Amino acid sequence: MTEGTRGRAWALLTHAALTQAVTFVLRPATSYRALELDMSPAWLGVLSGTFALVPLVLALPAGHVVDRLGERRVLIAGGVLLTAAGGAFLIFGGSIPGLVVASIVLGTAHLCAVVGQQALVANTTSSGRLDAAFGYYTFAASAGQAAGPLLIVLFGGSKAIPDTTPVFQGAALIAVVVLACSFAIRDGARAAERDAAAPSGVGGLLRLPGLVRALLTSCVVLAAVDISLVYLPALGAERGIASGVVGALLGLRAVSSMTSRLFLGRLTRLLGRKRVLLVSIAASAAGLALAAAPVPVWVLAVAVMVAGLGLGVGQPLTMSWLAESAPPGMRGRAMSLRLTGNRAGQVIVPGTIGLVAAGLGAAGVLWVTAAGLAWTGFAARKLAVDRPPDS
């Protein structure tokens, strides 16, 4: 790897980490602000779904733009929108409609960033290294996810519901750094590949064997991550757990995901993608089910750690499988197709589970989520994600 290539890789990983730091501090902080505004915990899932509402419509067009114009322009657009989202939370976050608007802008910014980042990884990595490359990429994302909640720990202190205004201010400053970092990234796909991209390529992607199961697995796992972000603070508020402790638990979940992603390439070479995927889903289901039980804080920490280890695997494995299956010049659309499924899950799953389990509180939501993960793991048994022997 040349010095220039290393520099571009570090720019990408920094961009990914800071994007997730902003997102993963703003989303739980949104839950706390909504609770301050007397929103019912049953409706927190609906508020969470607004993060994915507009991106659900824009995901495929964003992938097409990446394939035609390159990753850099989309990443810059994401930085601009992320900065705008930070300002929106500060200006309009004093009301529920304002939180909805700011959450939608945040979701759109996050979409542009991750489509560009994932396409860049896919377009600059050889087939045999995709698991490791996406493992490192999602490791950086998890690092940001771990760093984000630390702002809640810093500003929340011992209060069950922290002062969210300083949290919003810090996130807005980090968003400006993300925007600056976007300009250091160069396109990964060659111009010839972009010019040759087929305009009807999404139909061909949809016919890939096992695609539906892969998309289902990806969206349910990501929805479970979202639900943990939204309902762990609600669970802490119900049980009188300090917001600082809840922030530390969210950080522990992210650090656990970092650990599984850091060694993902080695794990899949040793055990195969399918076995690693099934074990990880089972672990995440067990961890969330235990977290929902009335257990001491130290047991809750163990449960969150186990869940984090499992939840860290599903996303990079489905990314690498899609990148390996999609032809050059269409990988932006392949990543955006996966994100479309993820966004659909983020819109539908948290709100549905929140309403179904409304009478059971935050613990009931986590129990239902664990059951959904168990069902997804059962369905994923027939998913053919392992690489051919010669790869």
Side-chain angles (χ1 to χ4, degrees), residues 20 23-24 27 48 51-52 110 114 118 138 141 145 214-230 253 261 281 284 288 310-316 318-319 338-347 349-350 369 373 376:
Q20 297 296 337
T23 303
F24 272 64
R27 299 200 66 199
S48 173
F51 170 81
H110 186 262
V114 297
Q118 292 172 16
T138 52
Q145 293 170 12
L215 295 181
L216 176 65
T217 300
S218 181
C219 82
V220 172
V221 170
L222 184 60
V225 174
D226 277 8
I227 287 168
S228 70
L229 276 174
V230 173
R253 186 212 60 77
R261 289 169 172 178
I281 294 173
S284 59
L288 287 182
L311 292 171
V313 169
Q315 300 304 309
T318 53
M319 288 179 204
R338 172 186 160 275
L339 286 167
T340 300
N342 284 354
R343 291 299 188 260
Q346 287 178 297
V347 170
V349 175
T369 304
L373 282 167
T376 301

Side-chain angles (χ1 to χ4, degrees), residues 22-336:
V22 174
T23 303
F24 272 64
V25 69
L26 284 176
R27 299 200 66 199
T30 301
S31 295
Y32 280 125
R33 176 61 66 86
L35 291 173
E36 287 179 17
L37 297 173
D38 296 324
M39 172 178 273
S40 168
W43 287 97
L44 286 178
V46 177
L47 177 60
S48 173
T50 63
F51 170 81
L53 192 58
V54 172
L56 176 61
V57 178
L58 295 182
L60 284 174
H64 180 75
V65 171
V66 168
D67 286 334
R68 299 300 298 175
L69 301 180
E71 299 89 351
R72 185 172 184 263
R73 296 182 186 181
V74 176
L75 290 173
I76 291 172
V80 170
L81 288 170
L82 197 65
T83 304
F89 276 105
L90 284 170
I91 297 170
F92 305 115
S95 67
I96 297 298
L99 289 177
V100 169
V101 170
S103 183
I104 289 173
V105 176
L106 177 64
T108 307
H110 186 262
L111 167 71
C112 292
V114 297
V115 168
Q117 292 162 4
Q118 292 172 16
L120 191 61
V121 175
N123 284 322
T124 56
T125 308
S126 62
S127 177
R129 289 188 50 81
L130 281 169
D131 287 347
F134 276 110
Y136 293 140
Y137 162 70
T138 52
F139 172 86
S142 292
Q145 293 170 12
L150 294 179
L151 289 175
I152 298 178
V153 176
L154 178 63
F155 294 112
S158 60
K159 296 183 291 185
I161 298 180
D163 181 3
T164 49
T165 298
V167 178
F168 290 156
Q169 291 170 341
L173 289 175
I174 298 172
V176 175
V177 179
V178 173
L179 176 58
C181 188
S182 303
F183 290 95
I185 295 174
R186 297 292 178 264
D187 291 328
R190 294 187 296 272
E193 291 178 349
R194 297 199 296 268
D195 293 341
S200 59
V202 172
L205 291 173
L206 289 171
R207 290 190 290 271
L208 289 174
L211 180 73
V212 174
R213 287 191 178 91
L215 295 181
L216 176 65
T217 300
S218 181
C219 82
V220 172
V221 170
L222 184 60
V225 174
D226 277 8
I227 287 168
S228 70
L229 276 174
V230 173
Y231 281 97
L232 276 177
L235 184 72
E238 288 179 2
R239 298 181 179 176
I241 300 173
S243 62
V245 175
V246 174
L249 290 173
L250 291 172
L252 178 62
R253 186 212 60 77
V255 170
S256 299
S257 293
M258 289 169 59
T259 303
S260 60
R261 289 169 172 178
L262 183 61
F263 298 103
L264 183 60
R266 298 177 187 177
L267 286 172
T268 56
R269 284 194 297 270
L270 180 64
L271 302 174
R273 283 180 184 161
K274 185 174 181 178
R275 186 173 298 173
V276 172
L277 181 63
L278 294 179
V279 171
S280 71
I281 294 173
S284 59
L288 287 182
L290 180 59
V295 295
V297 172
W298 72 267
V299 177
L300 181 60
V302 172
V304 167
M305 181 181 68
V306 171
L309 287 169
L311 292 171
V313 169
Q315 300 304 309
L317 283 188
T318 53
M319 288 179 204
S320 61
W321 180 79
L322 270 178
E324 194 171 67
S325 303
M330 290 177 55
R331 287 169 181 151
R333 271 168 283 188
M335 296 299 111
S336 66

